[in-house]
Amino acid sequence: YTVLRAALDIAVRDGLLAANPTAKVKRPAVAPKEARYLSTEDVRRLLDQLDGLRYRLAVLLMAATGMRRGEVAGLRWSDVDLTKGELIVAGIVVRVGGALEWTAPKTDRSRRRIPLTAGLIAELKKHRKTQLAERFHAGDRWTDTGAVFATEVGSRLDPRNLLRTVEIAAGKAGIE
């Protein structure tokens, strides 16, 4: 409905139609769905199943901070201050025309500072060392995006891979 109405509004604007026929049609109702949440115990079980998965720390960061997949995928080392123990959500990774791109968040409210626990700081320091070793190993194949969470060759992390990681851990934990 929305796409059709927008297209016909353009046709009216361009003089191809005198009036938009969808303006007289009632917008279809969408049944609201209540968001589902995991219990604290289910989250604990899911996190226990992350060991050995590449994006374990990314999912742990989502669980501990409430960050969204695109925000975690868009996190750059320049946005993380391990000395102060905080990070800044300054961008997100989105798919545009089939390619992954880093972009600023849609709203000012989405840009925010998030404090980090001592445990997360330690995990991020360890992750940084691992990433530097991967960079050395990849050599000239490495793409320097500055991303905290990247592929084995430094490319941007697809937010869908974080969902896959959660799905794998949930499956192991027996959580739907």
Side-chain angles (χ1 to χ4, degrees):
Y1 173 86
T2 303
V3 173
L4 179 61
R5 183 165 181 160
L8 292 176
D9 280 342
I10 292 170
V12 171
R13 183 197 69 205
D14 292 346
L16 300 172
L17 286 176
N20 186 340
T22 61
K24 297 177 182 176
V25 177
K26 184 180 174 191
R27 179 181 299 271
V30 177
K33 290 183 185 177
E34 186 173 329
R36 288 184 34 196
Y37 299 93
L38 295 179
S39 69
T40 303
E41 179 55 35
D42 283 347
V43 171
R44 189 174 293 116
R45 286 182 25 231
L46 184 135
L47 294 177
D48 287 344
Q49 298 302 318
L50 290 171
D51 289 340
L53 298 177
R54 177 169 182 82
Y55 301 115
R56 172 190 141 321
L57 179 55
V59 174
L60 184 62
L61 190 63
M62 288 185 337
T65 65
M67 291 174 70
R68 297 172 183 92
R69 289 181 295 157
E71 293 171 339
V72 170
L75 189 61
R76 300 169 301 185
W77 284 111
S78 60
D79 303 324
V80 179
D81 188 332
L82 296 174
T83 306
K84 281 186 180 177
E86 68 180 18
L87 61 83
I88 298 169
V89 177
I92 58 174
V93 170
V94 294
R95 186 169 290 282
V96 178
L100 294 173
E101 291 186 16
W102 186 94
T103 184
K106 291 180 190 175
T107 66
D108 287 337
R109 255 183 79 184
S110 294
R111 290 179 195 88
R112 61 199 185 281
R113 289 183 185 278
I114 298 176
L116 299 170
T117 64
L120 281 175
I121 293 168
E123 290 270 357
L124 284 164
K125 286 179 179 177
K126 190 168 81 175
H127 175 69
R128 180 72 174 141
K129 288 179 184 175
T130 302
Q131 191 180 62
L132 289 172
E134 282 184 343
R135 182 180 187 151
F136 178 76
H137 181 71
D140 61 354
R141 293 179 303 138
W142 185 264
T143 303
D144 192 8
T145 60
V148 173
F149 302 106
T151 66
E152 294 87 349
V153 292
S155 304
R156 295 194 192 289
L157 165 62
D158 189 331
R160 291 184 299 188
N161 288 341
L162 294 177
L163 178 59
R164 287 184 191 109
T165 301
V166 170
E167 289 171 341
I168 289 167
K172 288 182 186 177
I175 300 168
E176 278 190 43

